[in-house]
Every structure is written in structure tokens, then in C-alpha cells.
Amino acid sequence: EQCPLSWLRVLTSSVCEAKNLPTYPGPNKMRDCYCTVNLDQEEVFRTKIVEKSLCPFYGEDFYCEIPRTFRHLSFYIFDRDVFRRDSIIGKVAIQKEDLQKYHNRDTWFQLQHVDADSEVQGKVHLELRLSEVITDTGVVCHKLATRVLECQGLPIVNGQCDPYATVTLAGPSRSEAKKTKVKKKTNNPHFDEVFYFEVGISKEWVIIDLWNASNLKFGDEFLGELRLPLKFLRQSSSYEAWYFLQPRDNGNKSLKPDDLGSLRLNVVYTEDHVFSSDYYSPLRDLLLKSADVEPVSASAAHILGEVCREKQEAAIPLVRLFLHYGRIVPFISAIASAEVKRTQDPNTIFRGNSLTSKCIDETMKLAGMHYLQVTLKPIIDEICQVHKPCEIDPVKLKDGENLENNRENLRQYVDRIFTVITKSGVSCPTVMCDIFFSLRESAAKRFQGDPDVRYTAVSSFIFLRFFAPAILSPNLFQLTPHHPVSTASLFLAMHIVLPPCSANFKESYMATFYDYFNEQKYADAVKNFLDLISSSGRRDHKSIEQPILLKEGFMIKRAQGRKRFGMKNFKKRWFRLTNHEFTYQKSKGDHPLCSIPIENILAVERLEEESFKMKNMFQVIQPERRVLYIQANNCVEAKDWIDILTKVSQCNKKRQCRYQDVSDMQALRCFQRSFLLTLLIGLPANIQLDIDGDRETERIYSLFNLYMPKLEKMQEACGSKSVYDGPEEEEYSTFIIDDPKETYKTLKLIIEGVGTLEQEHAQYKRDKFKKTKYGSQEHPIGDKSFQTYIRQQSEISAHSI
């Protein structure tokens, strides 16, 4: 049967800034605020705290593959309170169906008030039966049987969820309520309780309320409700369905929307249905031969960069696809050579946001992450922990700071960073070195009279686009959990490691500071480093012996029960994963309490909630049937840990595959294919890039389909240029078309391939639509996305008729 192997939901969210937050009711009036990103009510990301501001700037990005369905993507602004629970200022809640409206564009949202009665998630499974009965006195009446079967996805309130349901029959002249038992420590409770009511049918309602039994003095917390009119029920019939829980309308009047300020966000949300590999062969083959097409501007990959609104959109899936199939170096070499030929001034080489620069950025980000970890993380950690003042702008000095001391602190840090970078050439990944060699040769050939261009062509990427962003925003490169203010001054170090000819400072204090490093030994070190990482045929034969930190953070672990009668309680621990071992300790920096060598990880598996009555649990299986049970903070963190533990232990000889469902087999296939990347990129043998070629081809297909009008416009441009030898029309001038005939051929193949895939997707959706019942567990009543799909299908059917 034709069906996708996976359904992938990917979210990239930029929390930019807030403005005009309400003042604090005190003499200071300023607030210490942070923002959280939530799937419904489950927090999956938290920004840094911006102190003493009513217009905090965050500038933080969050990327995740969403592991479950959700109804709202929510952003909450909190005011930190040291002595009490942090207070919520306001929220932005975007329905999943509306995310495409704001796709990849900066948008200001008004903050809304947070009302406990509107914070709802989850669904309930009900069965209603209406029957006619005769009482002992001979009177005929109607009896309603309401069966509350189960709920799924209820929120966890204050760290717990002990839910129960109340069933109320409400009418104009009566209200009768009954209650289920409380189910302890679960947000997926199974009730299976039946309640009977005598009803009159006409104007009566059944109201189902879900509550969290709380031990707090404020009473039980509302979780959601459902209101059903009885007039839709037929006599002697039963009705069974799943329903989304809804907010409760308690008549509260919200304040003006501008009272709470606003929040600027940039959200990118995509859903991809990935078919089996053979569906993508025509389009994939067309893309992979892009490096061999003459000219490269007539290739499918280059055309994708031409039609996409942002080059980054095209670069991300292209790089991952070419990396997966080992074709990234020839592709980047081809598009870089073409760009160099179009460049007139050597000082502007690779300075724009072209497809070449974006592809190289993405390649460095994927292949160079462990390189950054080895090179920069130790010094960044020290800077953040010691927190020496480094401000050398006299205007920005704080009270009590000494300019000379600050200058010396910064000089020492810059010198150390300069040294670790310029001595790290042997660790630079092979794929980056091969790309740098290609850039160097293309630039030197194009500008033969400029001896420095072979260095500036490489330095513009390795320094300005790789090391500099990692120092300025180490959190974006997994070097620190959050953006540390103390590293902002270290961005100045990038001016130092550039070749001397490019140093140009407007600020006098920077020019003075640069004199420390204006010596020939620094220039020689930079040139030697650039020569090493851009040498022809360079291979990294020397493996990296020191451990590479892959992930760390707090989680809850269950005692492993090494002693027969030992306690098996749960405790919070700091976990740390490298390519050598998986450890945990009481706090960060403490001596490990337990160390599991990577080769001893036999399996990593997600646990169902019923196992321990706890969410987001997984287990790490070791030899001799020893198992480490761990609870992550949220669903995204759980998926990240499971994925990376699986990845790092995938090549273990005694590895066990206990569950082999479709998704696991797909992941296994992906890991097996990506093993070749360890050789191509120069990663340590037990670290692999998790890239699925089919998924990336599906993403590229989606982009081509989205920008189909531009593809057709580009076809028109090719025809126009082929027929007329005059100047280009204004509407076609945005496209790079070096060879109209070859470009037209490629465009025709792209449109045909995209059209075929579009037919397959449409057929799959039609088949699924026929089989899916509204009110099923997959699509509960109240699912607006399914309602929208039904409306679209009806419109399509009417149009075709």
C-alpha cells in the first residue's frame, strides 16, 4: 500500500524581542523577564533572563523536530521573582493551522492575558447512549448513559497530574453532577466509568469537566471541558467519539490587547510526508548531477536557489542532500567558481548572501560542530565561569572597573583564542578543507594580480562566518546553554585573527588595542593556518583523541538498583554525553557518580507513560540486563537525548534492536547510509550525521512546489532570451540565466518531476481522507486542521465536477 514512511514536523522559532511591557508595581518599575516556547502547555525552550528592562531583546533561536501532535504554539513572557513563583505577564498563542500565515517573517504579536480557564490541551473519549425506559410506576422516561472512557495529553500542572472528570447534566431548571475517581500521576488517565441521568432531551446539555486534584489551598485546577447538546442524540442509539477539550467561558472581560505590550517572533513550521526512496529517484538524480551541468546556473540545484525567496531556504536541504550522497564538494566548487567569475572586485569576493555562501555556511555548521567543540568550548567555558570584565570602550565602563585591567583581560583572552584557532588546523574537517582549497584556487585564478585574495577568500568563511558567530553567540553552536553577555567583547578577537591588511577600526580605543597584535608573528600564524586548512588533498589522518562533548544537562534518573535491597528512588542529576562515555553527577563539574562507556550501550528506548506513571521517560540498556531509567524535562529534550544516544552507539557490535517498527527501521537505514559521512567529513568514527536523503528530497520538492509560479516565470524568461537577442525584460532580470536552452530543459524536467510527486501526495491524501473518520482518536471533533482539509477537499471536488 502506498503510504509515507514518516510524518515530520519541524519548528524553527526566533524569539527576537518584546516591547512596552507593563511596569513593575514598585519604585524601580523595571522587570527581569524571560520567554518560554511551549507546545500547548509543555515548555520546550526558555530564553535567557534580560534584567531591568521593559523592552527586552532576546535574539535567540530554537530548532526542534516536534515529536507529537499539538494544537497551539505558545510563547509566555515571565517576570522573575527571586522569593516567589515567577509571574506570567502575558502570552502569544498561535493555532497550528495559522502558523503558515507567519511563516519565516518577522511579526509583532500583541501579548494576551493568561487565564487559567483558557489554558487547555488534551482530548477525551466519550460514549453516549440514549434509551427509553419504563419505571416501576409505568411512566416512560429517557435515560442517558454517559461513559467517560479515557483522556490523552492532559497538561501537567505544577509538576503533577492527578486528573478526574465531572459529568454534569445541565438544563433550564436543573443541574446534576457526578464525578469519576481520581487517577494518580498520569496525564493519560483511563476512567471507563458510566453515569446515568434521566433527561428531557430538548434543552439539556452534558458538560464534561476535567480537573487536576491539587493539594494546594487554592483548590483543584481546571484542565478543560466539553459541552454537548442532547438534541443531536437519537433514541436507542449510541454515539462514541474523541473530542478535543475546550476552554471554559466564564464571562471574564479581557483587558485591552495593548495593555501588556508585544512580542516579535519569526516562526518557521513545516510538515513533510516522506515517501519511500523510489518515489524520489527522478528528482533526486536531477539534483545530484547539478555539479556536472554546464553551465552550473542551468542545474536543478542552482535553479532552486534562484526561485526561493531566501537563499537559506534552498541551502539547508541541498547541503544535507549532497552531504548524504558525498557530492557536496564538487557542487560547492561549481557554484563558487561561477560566482567568482561574476565578481568584479576582489574585495567583495563571497561577501554577499549568495547560494554559495549560504551552502558553505550550512556545510560548516553540520561538519564543523565537533571542530568548534574541540577548539573553542574550553576557553568559552572558562570565560563564562570566571567572568572577567573585558569592556575597553571608555564610555561603557561600569563603576569600579579599571580600563587598563579590562584591556589586559581582553588581551589575554584574545591571545589565547588566537592561539587555539591558529593551531587547530589539523582538526579541521576534511570536507571543509576540500571546499577551502576550491575557493582558494578559483579566487587566485580569477584575480591573478592580487596575492592576498587566496587568503581573503578562505578567511571570509572560516573567521567571519564560522569562528566569529560562535564566539558572539556560543549558545547557537551548542557551546553554552544560553547567550552569555561576557563573550560579547570577545567578538573583537575576530578583528585580530584576520590578516593585517584587513584590519580597519573606526574607534580609537580599538586601534590602540590592535597595536598589541600588530606584529609579524600573528600575520604569519594566520597565513600558516589558512594554508593548512586549504591545502590540496589534505586528509585528517590524526584522529581526535580527546572526548568531544555532544550534549549535557539536568534530567531525573531512577536508581539502578545495584544492591538487592537498595532504594530505587528518582533524583535530579547532571548528565553528560561525549563520544567516549555517558555519565551523570550531582551537579555540573562534580566527579561522575556513574560512567557508562559508549560501547556498553546496547539499546536506547522510549518508555510509555504507564511504565512509571511519568512522562518523557526512556531507558539505556547495558550488559547483564542493567537498565538506567531517565526522565527528560520535556518531549523535545527526550527525543534529542534518545536520538543522540542512539546515534553515538549505533555501531556497537552488541547493539540490540528490540523494537523494529517503521520509524525505527527508517532511522536504522539512515544511520547505515550516513556512516559513509564519517569518512567524507573526517568526524570521529562513532559520531555520524543523521541525514535522510529522502526527507531532504521531499523538502526540496515542497520548495519547488511552493515556488512553482517562479519556475514558470523562469521558463518564460528562457524562451524570451532564446528568441530575442535584445535587452532582458525587467520582470526576468532577477534570474541568472547563462544558457537559456539548457536552463529550459532542466526546468521542464523539474516541473514534470514535481508534478508527478504532487499527484502521489494528492492521491495519498484522498485515500487517507476516505479512511479517516472525524471523531477518531487521530482526528478528534474540534480538530480545525482536519475541518480545513475537509473543506479544501470539498472545494476541489466541486471544482473538478
Side-chain angles (χ1 to χ4, degrees):
E1 183 183 356
Q2 170 187 313
C3 66
L5 287 179
S6 59
W7 186 359
L8 299 160
R9 304 175 180 89
V10 179
L11 170 69
T12 303
S13 173
S14 296
V15 183
C16 303
E17 60 179 319
K19 67 178 182 180
N20 301 329
L21 298 180
T23 58
Y24 186 78
N28 187 18
K29 298 187 180 302
M30 295 291 105
R31 294 182 182 269
D32 301 337
C33 297
Y34 61 90
C35 181
T36 66
V37 182
N38 295 54
L39 297 176
D40 295 322
Q41 293 182 59
E42 182 178 12
E43 180 183 322
V44 294
F45 177 73
R46 180 177 295 199
T47 68
K48 64 179 179 291
I49 297 173
V50 177
E51 298 180 344
K52 299 178 180 179
S53 175
L54 298 179
C55 297
F57 179 82
Y58 299 104
E60 295 196 41
D61 294 334
F62 169 67
Y63 171 88
C64 76
E65 290 185 8
I66 300 176
R68 62 173 179 84
T69 59
F70 67 100
R71 295 165 64 185
H72 291 87
L73 177 65
S74 302
F75 301 82
Y76 292 81
I77 296 287
F78 285 85
D79 185 13
R80 182 184 61 176
D81 193 317
V82 178
F83 303 104
R84 295 178 296 176
R85 183 184 301 174
D86 296 350
S87 57
I88 299 178
I89 296 175
K91 73 171 182 178
V92 172
I94 308 172
Q95 291 186 8
K96 188 179 75 169
E97 298 76 31
D98 295 334
L99 287 173
Q100 285 302 318
K101 296 179 184 177
Y102 314 106
H103 181 80
N104 200 22
R105 63 184 64 179
D106 279 1
T107 307
W108 282 99
F109 295 89
Q110 292 292 330
L111 288 171
Q112 304 295 323
H113 287 272
V114 177
D115 178 8
D117 289 336
S118 67
E119 297 292 289
V120 170
Q121 71 178 54
K123 52 192 175 183
V124 59
H125 188 192
L126 293 180
E127 181 181 357
L128 302 176
R129 179 184 294 273
L130 185 65
S131 56
E132 196 174 74
V133 296
I134 301 176
T135 65
D136 295 338
T137 59
V139 178
V140 178
C141 68
H142 293 92
K143 182 165 283 190
L144 173 69
T146 304
R147 185 183 180 193
V148 183
L149 290 131
E150 60 179 312
C151 295
Q152 286 189 354
L154 299 178
I156 294 178
V157 183
N158 299 326
Q160 69 158 25
C161 190
D162 298 336
Y164 67 90
T166 60
V167 182
T168 304
L169 181 68
S173 60
R174 57 176 288 193
S175 179
E176 182 181 358
K178 299 180 181 181
K179 173 182 171 182
T180 69
K181 296 177 182 177
V182 175
K183 299 295 181 180
K184 293 287 188 179
K185 297 182 179 179
T186 178
N187 67 334
N188 298 319
H190 288 261
F191 298 110
D192 199 8
E193 296 188 40
V194 184
F195 303 96
Y196 296 94
F197 302 90
E198 289 186 6
V199 298
I201 301 180
S202 57
K203 296 182 180 180
E204 292 180 317
W205 292 69
V206 173
I207 304 173
I208 313 295
D209 287 303
L210 269 296
W211 299 85
N212 178 39
S214 173
N215 296 321
L216 301 176
K217 62 181 180 180
F218 304 109
D220 296 347
E221 292 101 352
F222 174 77
L223 301 180
E225 82 168 11
L226 182 64
R227 290 173 170 261
L228 298 174
L230 294 186
K231 60 184 179 181
F232 80 94
L233 285 176
R234 296 178 183 176
Q235 186 173 310
S236 301
S237 64
S238 64
Y239 184 80
E240 180 183 346
W242 284 84
Y243 294 85
F244 271 136
L245 291 169
Q246 302 297 330
R248 181 171 57 183
D249 181 14
N250 58 3
N252 282 348
K253 300 292 185 181
S254 61
L255 300 178
K256 295 180 181 179
D258 57 352
D259 285 349
L260 300 178
S262 53
L263 182 65
R264 182 162 66 94
L265 304 169
N266 188 309
V267 178
V268 177
Y269 175 72
T270 57
E271 286 188 3
D272 289 333
H273 299 265
V274 184
F275 288 94
S276 56
S277 187
D278 53 316
Y279 285 91
Y280 300 106
S281 294
L283 182 59
R284 181 176 59 239
D285 294 343
L286 186 65
L287 290 161
L288 290 176
K289 71 176 185 180
S290 294
D292 304 322
V293 174
E294 287 289 344
V296 72
S297 61
S299 69
H302 194 279
I303 288 172
L304 180 66
E306 287 297 290
V307 298
C308 282
R309 189 180 67 169
E310 302 287 344
K311 303 295 184 185
Q312 186 79 359
E313 273 187 306
I316 292 174
L318 283 175
V319 165
R320 295 176 71 88
L321 180 71
F322 283 108
L323 267 175
H324 182 73
Y325 288 100
R327 298 284 294 160
I328 189 65
V329 174
F331 170 64
I332 289 182
S333 298
I335 60 175
S337 178
E339 182 175 332
V340 169
K341 289 178 182 177
R342 292 191 293 267
T343 304
Q344 301 301 319
D345 184 356
N347 293 319
T348 63
I349 193 167
F350 300 127
R351 296 293 183 177
N353 289 323
S354 62
L355 181 64
T356 303
S357 61
K358 291 300 182 183
C359 284
I360 296 176
D361 288 350
E362 189 63 23
T363 303
M364 293 191 300
K365 187 190 231 177
L366 287 170
M369 193 63 73
H370 78 283
Y371 177 38
L372 283 177
Q373 294 277 343
V374 171
T375 306
L376 289 183
K377 185 168 176 56
I379 180 65
I380 294 293
D381 284 344
E382 179 185 332
I383 291 169
C384 294
Q385 291 170 7
V386 178
H387 199 66
K388 290 182 179 179
C390 297
E391 182 59 68
I392 61 172
D393 184 350
V395 178
K396 297 180 180 179
L397 281 182
K398 296 180 180 179
D399 293 339
E401 288 186 353
N402 182 280
L403 182 60
E404 289 303 319
N405 291 342
N406 288 10
R407 188 180 287 122
E408 178 60 19
N409 292 338
L410 184 60
R411 188 195 67 78
Q412 291 180 9
Y413 281 146
V414 167
D415 193 64
R416 289 180 60 188
I417 289 178
F418 176 88
T419 302
V420 296
I421 289 177
T422 54
K423 289 187 176 180
S424 68
V426 70
S427 302
C428 187
T430 304
V431 70
M432 290 172 59
C433 295
D434 290 343
I435 290 171
F436 293 152
F437 172 72
S438 174
L439 301 181
R440 173 179 177 148
E441 292 302 301
S442 296
K445 184 178 179 180
R446 173 73 174 84
F447 303 102
Q448 296 181 12
D450 189 337
D452 289 325
V453 73
R454 65 181 59 204
Y455 295 110
T456 55
V458 177
S459 67
S460 63
F461 285 103
I462 193 67
F463 292 135
L464 295 183
R465 294 175 177 266
F466 187 65
F467 284 120
I471 290 175
L472 185 61
S473 301
N475 59 308
L476 300 183
F477 295 84
Q478 300 175 20
L479 298 175
T480 60
H482 288 295
H483 186 298
V485 178
S486 56
T487 62
S489 296
L490 292 175
F491 185 68
L492 302 174
M494 290 304 97
H495 295 285
I496 307 303
V497 297
L498 291 175
C501 61
S502 64
N504 184 17
F505 304 108
K506 296 179 181 178
E507 303 88 350
S508 58
Y509 64 88
M510 271 303 301
T512 304
F513 181 74
Y514 179 71
D515 290 339
Y516 286 128
F517 300 90
N518 193 13
E519 299 179 17
Q520 190 60 37
K521 66 176 183 178
Y522 291 104
D524 292 341
V526 168
K527 290 186 176 181
N528 291 337
F529 170 70
L530 294 175
D531 284 334
L532 179 59
I533 66 172
S534 60
S535 299
S536 174
R538 178 199 173 280
R539 291 293 181 271
D540 185 12
H541 296 293
K542 180 181 178 182
S543 62
I544 302 174
E545 297 297 335
Q546 59 181 302
I548 298 171
L549 180 63
L550 302 176
K551 189 173 179 63
E552 61 181 349
F554 277 112
M555 290 190 291
I556 307 294
K557 71 97 187 173
R558 180 178 181 264
Q560 298 187 66
R562 299 179 186 180
K563 298 179 182 179
R564 186 172 182 180
F565 300 104
M567 293 288 290
K568 294 183 176 62
N569 54 341
F570 287 84
K571 292 184 178 180
K572 188 176 182 180
R573 293 289 183 258
W574 180 266
F575 284 81
R576 195 170 187 271
L577 175 66
T578 71
N579 59 319
H580 292 181
E581 60 182 358
F582 183 46
T583 63
Y584 63 78
Q585 51 247 43
K586 282 189 176 181
S587 300
K588 184 177 181 180
D590 290 351
H591 183 76
L593 299 173
C594 176
S595 174
I596 304 173
I598 296 301
E599 57 268 21
N600 283 355
I601 297 178
L602 305 184
V604 183
E605 297 166 345
R606 184 184 302 276
L607 294 176
E608 297 297 328
E609 183 198 338
E610 287 72 19
S611 300
F612 291 98
K613 300 294 184 183
M614 297 170 68
K615 288 185 67 178
N616 306 318
M617 292 282 296
F618 63 95
Q619 60 184 0
V620 178
I621 300 172
Q622 307 164 61
E624 300 177 359
R625 298 185 179 180
R626 288 183 57 199
V627 182
L628 176 60
Y629 299 104
I630 303 172
Q631 183 188 33
N633 297 319
N634 55 61
C635 61
V636 172
E637 276 289 301
K639 184 181 186 303
D640 287 347
W641 276 105
I642 292 169
D643 286 350
I644 197 166
L645 282 165
T646 301
K647 212 182 305 180
V648 79
S649 62
Q650 194 64 45
C651 297
N652 289 352
K653 294 179 180 179
K654 296 182 180 180
R655 172 102 187 151
Q656 300 174 3
C657 293
R658 297 178 67 180
Y659 298 107
Q660 295 191 1
D661 59 16
V662 173
S663 59
D664 288 336
M665 291 305 293
Q666 182 190 17
L668 183 58
R669 177 194 64 179
C670 175
F671 289 134
Q672 289 168 343
R673 288 183 179 179
S674 63
F675 180 71
L676 293 175
L677 293 173
T678 65
L679 304 177
L680 297 169
I681 296 177
L683 294 173
N686 58 347
I687 299 179
Q688 305 168 9
L689 288 180
D690 183 6
I691 297 177
D692 186 336
D694 297 335
R695 171 184 172 178
E696 303 309 326
T697 312
E698 167 65 25
R699 186 91 288 274
I700 293 171
Y701 147 75
S702 298
L703 289 171
F704 274 136
N705 199 37
L706 177 65
Y707 293 107
M708 184 59 69
K710 283 193 174 182
L711 287 172
E712 294 169 347
K713 184 68 71 175
M714 198 172 184
Q715 255 192 334
E716 292 177 16
C718 290
S720 174
K721 291 190 68 171
S722 298
V723 175
Y724 303 103
D725 197 23
E728 298 179 31
E729 294 183 32
E730 185 66 27
E731 59 179 327
Y732 299 146
S733 61
T734 56
F735 300 122
I736 295 176
I737 303 175
D738 297 318
D739 188 328
K741 188 175 180 180
E742 288 299 318
T743 305
Y744 187 91
K745 288 180 182 178
T746 305
L747 282 164
K748 184 178 179 181
L749 293 173
I750 292 172
I751 292 172
E752 288 175 356
V754 170
T756 301
L757 280 171
E758 176 64 14
Q759 291 176 8
E760 298 291 353
H761 279 275
Q763 184 61 47
Y764 167 74
K765 289 179 180 178
R766 284 193 295 269
D767 292 343
K768 185 178 180 183
F769 173 68
K770 292 176 183 177
K771 298 174 184 177
T772 302
K773 178 184 175 183
Y774 189 45
S776 64
Q777 185 174 359
E778 184 180 7
H779 292 290
I781 294 174
D783 185 351
K784 293 186 178 180
S785 62
F786 189 72
Q787 290 174 316
T788 302
Y789 178 72
I790 292 174
R791 185 172 61 253
Q792 291 173 346
Q793 291 300 310
S794 300
E795 292 172 356
I796 292 171
S797 299
H799 179 72
S800 63
I801 292 171

